[in-house]
Amino acid sequence: MDILTLQIPEHVNLYDEMVKQAKLHPKKVIIEDLSVALTYKKFLIAVNVMSGKLDQIVKGEKRVGIFLPNVAAQVIVLFALFKNEQQPCLLNFTMGTQNIIDCIETVSPMETVITSREFVKKADLEFVIEEMEKQVKVVYLEDVRSSITTFQKLSGLFGSRVSGLKKREQSEVILFTSGTESKPKGVILTHRNIYANIKQVFNHVALDEDRDRILNPLPLFHSFGMTVGSILPVVGNVKVFLYPSPLHYREIPKIVEKDKSTLFVATNTFFENYAKYATREQLHTLRIVVCGGEKLQKDVRDTYRDKFGIQIMEGYGATETSPIISLNTAQHHKEGTVGRLVPLMEARISKVEGVNEGGNLLLKGPNVMKGYLIHGKGFVPCGEWYNTGDIAEIDKDGYIRIISRLKRFAKIAAEMISLNKVEELALECFGESVFYAVSIPDKRRGEKIILFTTKEDVPVRKFKKFIKDKKMSLLYIPSEIKHIDEVPLLGSGKPNYWVLEKLAKKEE
């Protein structure tokens, strides 16, 4: 599709878009997990049966919580709510109890959360459910399934044959920010936002409906896991395998081989760990491999090129943009950048006082969110331009280079020092991307840098000499380098700098 002909309709319901594909490809296996493989026909029937059942359970409720792992059942519930013109609120089960309760309060009124007994037990989330039940009614999928009658099954089968006759209202999906700096914010994405991003991806990347197979281990509460890993497959006719956790480093390469996956997306941290256990044979079917969420480090990129014959492409996104903003491709890529903007997006750079390189990246486009839900305040619409909070620069060819998060700067002796740059220098000095910089208050110089690492015996003096030899500012030298056994991660796979910052302050 040419960018000149890429148009996003004003009215979109993702259930209706899925039905169009199901009618065209009823026998194609479109979604699979560890226990089930569903053709479009079976998926559509399951969605219709579930929508009828949920219409009884949560009838009249505008927002419905989903608290489920990355399995086909969650996608069925998601599309059942789309059909019922309700708003799914995808709760992040890795957040911790208080943050989850904050999320529920943020989207109030929300009366019901759908979960699974088996999931709650396996994930040891009983206490979270106890606290949740003080706020909402908890409905278990096992009970929903067992109460489905023969008549409802027949209704679902009949409904699958006449689906699409009704034009449904455009609805919304609510995801949540991580809540590491304040209470989590609800991000409102319309069906049109998500559909636009799917169309942008198809225009930007050469996906083949017959050939490509997506492996998605990212949870649906993560915007990439939801849009590209769950909705794009069934709306765009690209088969997906859902795996319940990205942390199973030994198992995921085996799934790639078994499924013959061709498209795989993960963070730098996840890629680094998969490489420890994967073989070249296991990954040989992969043709589109994308790193997002955090910077792709040189050692990880080189490992995949040399060990597996794979070129990892770097991309960039945000929950607020449904999520994909830019992406390197096989045809158009530039090392050290996150690629060019996807079609129909615009960007501009806003100068930031004290930051000499690049500026604040602002964006607009059809995939940019409707707005935020703020705890205790309610809905705040997104302005004309979405402020990413990322310091970036755009070269003459349109390639975007992310320099740092605006919040990932330390102000030392009145100078703005990029914590990302400190990590890059440590990688260059010691040859491994296992360094994580945070800043904490310092009475003498305003702030100071603490560098955490999983590498044993890293001397500050060696790093200091390295920075001096490069003739760089001595402000990049951390006050301390601390060893940790394991890097704390967010559910998305990004390093949890908030936990590291708390640890640094605690040890002061």
Side-chain angles (χ1 to χ4, degrees):
M1 183 184 295
D2 189 277
I3 187 170
L4 296 176
T5 62
L6 178 59
Q7 294 182 342
I8 311 301
E10 288 300 319
H11 182 96
V12 180
N13 184 287
L14 292 168
Y15 170 82
D16 292 334
E17 298 304 319
M18 178 271 291
V19 169
K20 292 175 187 176
Q21 295 290 354
K23 298 292 187 183
L24 292 172
H25 313 281
K27 295 181 179 179
K28 177 176 178 175
V29 173
I30 192 63
I31 188 166
E32 185 177 357
D33 63 21
L34 291 173
S35 60
V36 68
L38 297 173
T39 62
Y40 260 122
K41 181 179 179 180
K42 288 182 178 178
F43 179 73
L44 179 56
I45 291 171
V47 168
N48 285 334
V49 171
M50 182 62 69
S51 75
K53 197 66 192 175
L54 291 181
D55 194 44
Q56 292 180 337
I57 298 168
V58 293
K59 188 175 182 66
E61 296 180 26
K62 180 182 178 183
R63 293 173 180 157
V64 180
I66 299 180
F67 193 69
L68 288 167
N70 192 28
V71 293
Q74 181 171 198
V75 187
I76 290 169
V77 171
L78 191 68
F79 274 84
L81 293 173
F82 290 165
K83 181 182 180 183
N84 293 350
E85 300 169 28
Q86 292 170 295
Q87 296 177 7
C89 303
L90 295 162
L91 298 169
N92 179 345
F93 48 79
T94 70
M95 267 188 174
T97 306
Q98 186 54 56
N99 276 339
I100 292 170
I101 298 304
D102 288 341
C103 289
I104 291 172
E105 292 173 352
T106 297
V107 298
S108 180
M110 184 176 76
E111 300 172 36
T112 306
V113 171
I114 300 167
T115 188
S116 155
R117 280 197 183 86
E118 182 183 5
F119 164 62
V120 170
K121 184 177 180 180
K122 281 186 177 179
D124 194 23
L125 294 168
E126 288 89 347
F127 176 74
V128 178
I129 296 298
E130 287 177 16
E131 292 301 306
M132 204 182 278
E133 286 180 322
K134 296 176 183 177
Q135 305 273 343
V136 293
K137 175 177 67 175
V138 174
V139 171
Y140 294 97
L141 272 184
E142 291 87 348
D143 296 339
V144 175
R145 288 193 187 112
S146 64
S147 66
I148 293 172
T149 65
T150 302
F151 175 76
Q152 287 168 334
K153 290 179 183 178
L154 291 171
S155 296
L157 178 60
F158 175 74
S160 69
R161 293 173 179 169
V162 299
S163 290
L165 297 182
K166 175 189 174 185
K167 187 176 181 181
R168 286 161 186 84
E169 290 300 315
Q170 174 170 259
S171 191
E172 297 161 357
V173 181
I174 299 174
L175 301 176
F176 296 91
T177 61
S178 60
T180 54
E181 293 151 357
S182 60
K183 289 186 184 294
K185 291 181 286 190
V187 177
I188 302 178
L189 300 175
T190 67
H191 284 217
R192 184 176 188 268
N193 291 151
I194 298 165
Y195 185 72
N197 205 225
I198 291 169
K199 288 297 184 181
Q200 289 166 316
V201 170
F202 271 101
N203 188 276
H204 196 69
V205 182
L207 290 177
D208 187 319
E209 294 180 4
D210 298 318
R211 176 185 175 193
D212 282 319
R213 303 164 72 90
I214 300 171
L215 173 62
N216 177 32
L218 296 173
L220 268 70
F221 61 69
H222 181 273
S223 57
F224 191 95
M226 183 192 71
T227 297
V228 180
S230 303
I231 297 176
L232 180 149
V234 294
V235 168
N237 187 33
V238 181
K239 192 258 181 186
V240 65
F241 191 106
L242 300 175
Y243 190 80
S245 172
L247 299 173
H248 296 173
Y249 303 132
R250 293 178 186 272
E251 296 304 315
I252 284 176
K254 297 176 186 176
I255 296 295
V256 172
E257 182 178 34
K258 177 185 175 184
D259 184 60
K260 297 181 175 60
S261 305
T262 63
L263 192 156
F264 186 40
V265 177
T267 64
N268 181 84
T269 303
F270 287 154
F271 278 126
E272 181 182 12
N273 284 296
Y274 300 143
K276 295 174 184 176
Y277 305 103
T279 66
R280 192 182 185 102
E281 182 62 24
Q282 287 173 329
L283 305 185
H284 83 277
T285 58
L286 291 174
R287 76 178 192 92
I288 302 174
V289 180
V290 180
C291 178
E294 57 177 324
K295 181 178 174 58
L296 174 63
Q297 300 294 350
K298 183 179 184 300
D299 59 335
V300 174
R301 184 182 64 238
D302 292 348
T303 295
Y304 275 78
R305 184 193 61 225
D306 299 340
K307 184 178 178 180
F308 306 116
I310 290 172
Q311 180 168 5
I312 300 181
M313 298 295 181
E314 215 169 340
Y316 171 58
T319 303
E320 291 87 344
T321 57
S322 305
I324 295 179
I325 294 167
S326 65
L327 184 65
N328 280 293
T329 67
Q331 294 76 28
H332 304 285
H333 63 273
K334 187 176 288 189
E335 196 172 296
T337 77
V338 292
R340 294 168 167 169
L341 289 174
V342 295
L344 306 182
M345 288 208 81
E346 298 177 52
R348 64 185 179 93
I349 300 294
S350 175
K351 188 65 181 170
V352 177
E353 186 178 354
V355 176
N356 298 322
E357 188 181 15
N360 200 2
L361 180 62
L362 306 178
L363 298 165
K364 67 177 177 179
N367 54 315
V368 174
M369 66 173 177
K370 179 179 178 180
Y372 287 117
L373 287 172
I374 306 295
H375 190 279
K377 294 182 180 178
F379 176 63
V380 177
C382 183
E384 181 185 5
W385 291 89
Y386 162 61
N387 183 348
T388 66
D390 286 321
I391 301 299
E393 62 181 14
I394 304 174
D395 70 16
K396 61 182 177 58
D397 298 315
Y399 288 93
I400 301 171
R401 184 170 74 92
I402 304 298
I403 297 168
S404 182
R405 286 289 293 167
L406 186 55
K407 293 176 182 175
R408 292 274 297 143
F409 277 83
K411 194 167 187 179
I412 303 173
E415 293 291 328
M416 298 288 278
I417 302 298
S418 168
L419 298 175
N420 285 22
K421 186 64 177 178
V422 174
E423 294 172 353
E424 289 173 16
L425 290 167
L427 163 62
E428 195 177 341
C429 177
F430 299 107
E432 294 182 55
S433 57
V434 290
F435 295 90
Y436 308 89
V438 298
S439 63
I440 60 175
D442 179 71
K443 291 180 181 177
R444 188 167 61 90
R445 299 200 297 176
E447 290 184 310
K448 63 181 177 180
I449 297 170
I450 307 296
L451 188 64
F452 288 93
T453 181
T454 55
K455 186 177 174 67
E456 299 278 359
D457 302 320
V458 179
V460 174
R461 63 182 179 277
K462 180 179 177 180
F463 194 27
K464 184 174 183 179
K465 182 178 184 303
F466 174 80
I467 289 174
K468 280 184 174 180
D469 289 345
K470 286 183 72 72
K471 296 181 171 55
M472 295 192 66
S473 169
L474 298 185
L475 296 177
Y476 284 98
I477 300 170
S479 297
E480 291 181 76
I481 299 179
K482 294 178 178 286
H483 177 264
I484 49 173
D485 294 326
E486 190 175 15
V487 183
L489 297 177
L490 296 167
S492 60
K494 300 177 188 178
N496 192 330
Y497 287 106
W498 182 66
V499 169
L500 291 175
E501 190 177 310
K502 283 181 67 178
L503 180 60
K505 289 176 181 177
K506 186 178 179 181
E507 294 183 359
E508 278 296 290

